[in-house]
Amino acid sequence: MFSKETYIRRRTELKKLVQSGVIVIFGNNESPCNFPNNGYYPFRQDSSFLYYFGVQRDGLVGVIDIDNNVDTLVGDDIDIEDIVWYGSVDSVKDLAAQVGIEHSAPMKQLKTICHDAIKLKRKIHFLPPYRHDIKLQIFDLLGIHPNQQKDAASMPLINAVVKMRSVKEDQEIEELEKASEIGYLMHTTAMKLIKPGVTEKYIAGQVSGIAGSYGAMVSFPTIFSQHGEIMHGNPSMAVLEEGRLALCDCGAETINNYCSDNTRTMPVSGKFTQRQLEIYTIVEACHDYALELSKPGVKYYDVHMGVCRLMTERLKELGLMKGDTDEALAAGAHAMFLPHGLGHMMGMDVHDMEALDQKYVGYDDEIQPSKQFGTSALRMGRRLEKGFVVTDEPGIYFIPDLIDDWRAKGHCKDFLNFDLIETYKDFGGIRLEDDVLITDNGCRVLGKQIIPYHPKDVEEYMAKHRM
């Protein structure tokens, strides 16, 4: 939790942006894992609730009455039976005081607050809900059916939250740096453990354990797989094999729930083969080129397309692509190898504010998401601003099913050398990812120590530290 003044200032700014009405921001409730009293651990609070109210306890709702300038923390106090099992906790009144709120109320009063506002025809602002229990709560309070709540969510509130959370405060950047430090430990641990005979599951478990040891939790379920061509490949009991590549995509959340998100791709044997190196160096060049291009005022869509252009030119040199580069990009031929976007916003959520809809977070009136396969998966296209944190994560993948599908359809056949691509079906995939802070005139990678990613650095680190 930050200082009390931080949350007072944020709520004051939110009132100015939304202007009138009643803002209701729902915190998360405890979520059962496989039966009601066996909840997921640790508890994860809603990020927007944390941003404005800073309280980690479940079962809370924040109410901001803009017109009367009254903030209220709503929730029921913990009873003695819960205290026996979970220990003593602060009252809702005390929690409210910790974040500069004078008023608190039991949960049953929330219905009265909402009904009074409705009677006076005052606007009630809420964010798009993503949990079913909150959807039912909104239905009970406002009479809006769950399948209509996304459309009924307040655009003034969505726009205000996106505006505020997109630009990171100095104290938020400090938290993101801490998350990056934990991410460094996670990835270098993977580099130490990777060798033939070890299972994917074992390494992923060790990596995820570090996040829990130094922070709150992983920022998303750890991706670790020899099948790097699967974007979100879950770690399996498969044994690492000599000559294969292992892709590790993982990150940590700090105690204050700020995230890191990095990806590295490593040779199981400790040495890249020549064919692996040829593809790896293209991804490496794309990663570094994105850092050159990223600065305030530049559309991240243009950075993405600049990377796609470089990748296409380099793949043409290997004979995997052919034809005119501009025409190939216009046809979307590059998506055979890069079917996702260059990156996304990052902060308290690893895909920052994703629940508010990426078309509002990563796009704006100037630019909207593409409908082209591959580029349509770009979560961030708008102009960069100082204080934004985005990921830089180019990759090249050889996806057998996608190769077969495009070849059978003749899709982009003028730009793809399918005969040669066929020989890469057993290759897997390579992705390199870092978290990037946009600065006054450019950008910098977050983290005091950069996780090794240049080929020689990776090989040297693995050789020196392998367990």
Side-chain angles (χ1 to χ4, degrees):
M1 183 184 293
F2 297 128
S3 69
K4 174 172 66 177
E5 289 71 27
T6 292
Y7 302 104
I8 294 172
R9 174 175 47 78
R10 288 174 176 175
R11 292 193 299 271
T12 299
E13 178 64 19
L14 187 64
K15 292 172 193 174
K16 291 178 182 177
L17 291 171
V18 179
Q19 297 185 344
S20 65
V22 179
I23 298 170
V24 181
I25 299 181
F26 294 86
N28 283 337
N29 299 311
E30 189 63 83
S31 182
C33 179
N34 56 349
F35 52 86
N37 291 325
N38 185 20
Y40 281 103
Y41 179 83
F43 168 72
R44 180 53 158 93
Q45 185 60 281
D46 174 79
S47 294
S48 289
F49 182 89
L50 272 180
Y51 188 83
Y52 294 103
F53 294 92
V55 181
Q56 287 281 6
R57 212 206 80 177
D58 62 307
L60 299 173
V61 178
V63 177
I64 301 173
D65 185 331
I66 302 173
D67 306 311
N68 296 305
N69 196 28
V70 174
D71 300 345
T72 306
L73 186 64
V74 180
D76 296 326
D77 287 330
I78 301 300
D79 61 27
I80 190 65
E81 290 192 15
D82 284 328
I83 290 173
V84 168
W85 288 101
Y86 301 109
S88 182
V89 297
D90 292 333
S91 68
V92 175
K93 181 179 180 180
D94 290 340
L95 291 173
Q98 291 168 18
V99 291
I101 296 176
E102 295 181 3
H103 302 275
S104 62
M107 189 57 71
K108 65 181 181 182
Q109 197 167 325
L110 183 60
K111 182 170 283 190
T112 300
I113 292 171
C114 291
H115 284 191
D116 287 349
I118 291 171
K119 285 180 183 178
L120 295 173
K121 296 184 179 179
R122 299 175 66 200
K123 173 69 175 177
I124 297 178
H125 304 271
F126 63 89
L127 297 171
Y130 54 91
R131 287 193 171 192
H132 290 90
D133 55 335
I134 302 301
K135 291 180 179 182
L136 291 174
Q137 191 173 6
I138 292 173
F139 184 39
D140 183 50
L141 291 168
L142 305 179
I144 303 172
H145 193 277
N147 66 14
Q148 298 173 330
Q149 289 172 10
K150 182 177 180 181
D151 291 335
S154 167
M155 279 310 306
L157 181 57
I158 291 171
N159 289 333
V161 172
V162 170
K163 179 180 177 65
M164 292 182 67
R165 287 184 57 189
S166 292
V167 178
K168 304 301 185 283
E169 302 163 354
D170 289 344
Q171 60 188 347
E172 292 183 283
I173 294 169
E174 289 179 15
E175 285 292 321
L176 290 164
E177 293 278 18
K178 291 176 185 176
S180 295
E181 291 171 20
I182 303 171
Y184 177 88
L185 294 175
M186 295 170 76
H187 277 277
T188 51
T189 294
M191 290 181 178
K192 294 173 183 177
L193 294 174
I194 289 173
K195 61 183 177 182
V198 181
T199 66
E200 295 175 358
K201 200 75 157 176
Y202 176 78
I203 295 177
Q206 296 296 307
V207 165
S208 298
I210 288 174
S213 299
Y214 291 91
M217 57 195 291
V218 292
S219 52
F220 58 94
T222 295
I223 297 165
F224 186 91
S225 178
Q226 294 174 102
H227 284 283
E229 77 279 6
I230 301 173
M231 301 299 108
H232 290 166
N234 293 322
S236 71
M237 290 303 295
V239 173
L240 299 188
E241 300 174 5
E242 188 86 25
R244 300 281 296 276
L245 292 169
L247 186 149
C248 182
D249 186 345
C250 65
E253 283 194 19
T254 66
I255 295 299
N256 287 321
N257 300 105
Y258 283 82
C259 300
S260 66
D261 181 8
N262 301 92
T263 307
R264 293 295 186 263
T265 309
M266 297 144 286
V268 173
S269 66
K271 289 278 188 181
F272 292 102
T273 67
Q274 182 58 36
R275 189 170 75 151
Q276 289 169 350
L277 201 57
E278 288 171 350
I279 301 299
Y280 190 101
T281 55
I282 298 176
V283 180
E284 175 195 18
C286 289
H287 169 280
D288 292 351
Y289 187 50
L291 298 178
E292 291 180 29
L293 296 178
S294 297
K295 60 183 179 181
V298 172
K299 286 187 289 189
Y300 211 53
Y301 175 87
D302 292 338
V303 180
H304 170 84
M305 293 310 300
V307 163
C308 292
R309 174 178 295 280
L310 174 61
M311 184 188 73
T312 298
E313 292 287 353
R314 293 287 296 272
L315 288 172
K316 283 166 63 177
E317 292 173 8
L318 291 181
L320 289 162
M321 294 189 72
K322 59 186 178 179
D324 181 80
T325 297
D326 289 336
E327 292 178 6
L329 292 173
H334 59 282
M336 163 65 76
F337 307 99
L338 180 58
H340 63 75
L342 179 63
H344 50 80
M345 287 276 213
M346 205 189 70
M348 296 181 81
D349 305 311
V350 72
H351 293 158
D352 211 17
M353 301 173 279
E354 186 172 25
L356 305 185
D357 200 322
Q358 290 295 329
K359 68 182 179 181
Y360 304 126
V361 177
Y363 293 87
D364 54 22
D365 292 339
E366 181 184 16
I367 181 169
Q368 283 292 295
S370 166
K371 295 181 179 180
Q372 185 188 69
F373 175 78
T375 308
S376 62
L378 176 62
R379 292 186 172 96
M380 172 64 187
R382 60 189 280 208
R383 291 188 187 277
L384 299 169
E385 297 179 27
K386 180 185 175 183
F388 281 15
V389 175
V390 296
T391 59
D392 167 17
E393 50 180 307
I396 293 178
Y397 313 89
F398 294 89
I399 306 168
D401 288 335
L402 186 62
I403 294 169
D404 290 344
D405 181 69
W406 282 26
R407 184 164 201 171
K409 294 175 179 176
H411 183 60
C412 291
K413 59 184 177 58
D414 293 334
F415 311 108
L416 299 169
N417 186 347
F418 283 107
D419 288 340
L420 184 57
I421 292 171
E422 284 279 342
T423 68
Y424 282 78
K425 277 186 172 181
D426 62 348
F427 185 92
I430 293 172
R431 180 164 67 253
L432 296 174
E433 176 183 14
D434 281 308
D435 306 326
V436 177
L437 171 67
I438 305 304
T439 59
D440 286 313
N441 301 308
C443 68
R444 69 175 177 87
V445 174
L446 289 172
K448 294 178 181 177
Q449 296 175 287
I450 304 301
I451 305 161
Y453 74 95
H454 297 301
K456 286 186 178 180
D457 293 340
V458 173
E459 292 177 343
E460 288 176 4
Y461 191 94
M462 293 181 71
K464 185 177 181 180
H465 298 282
R466 221 170 192 183
M467 293 180 178

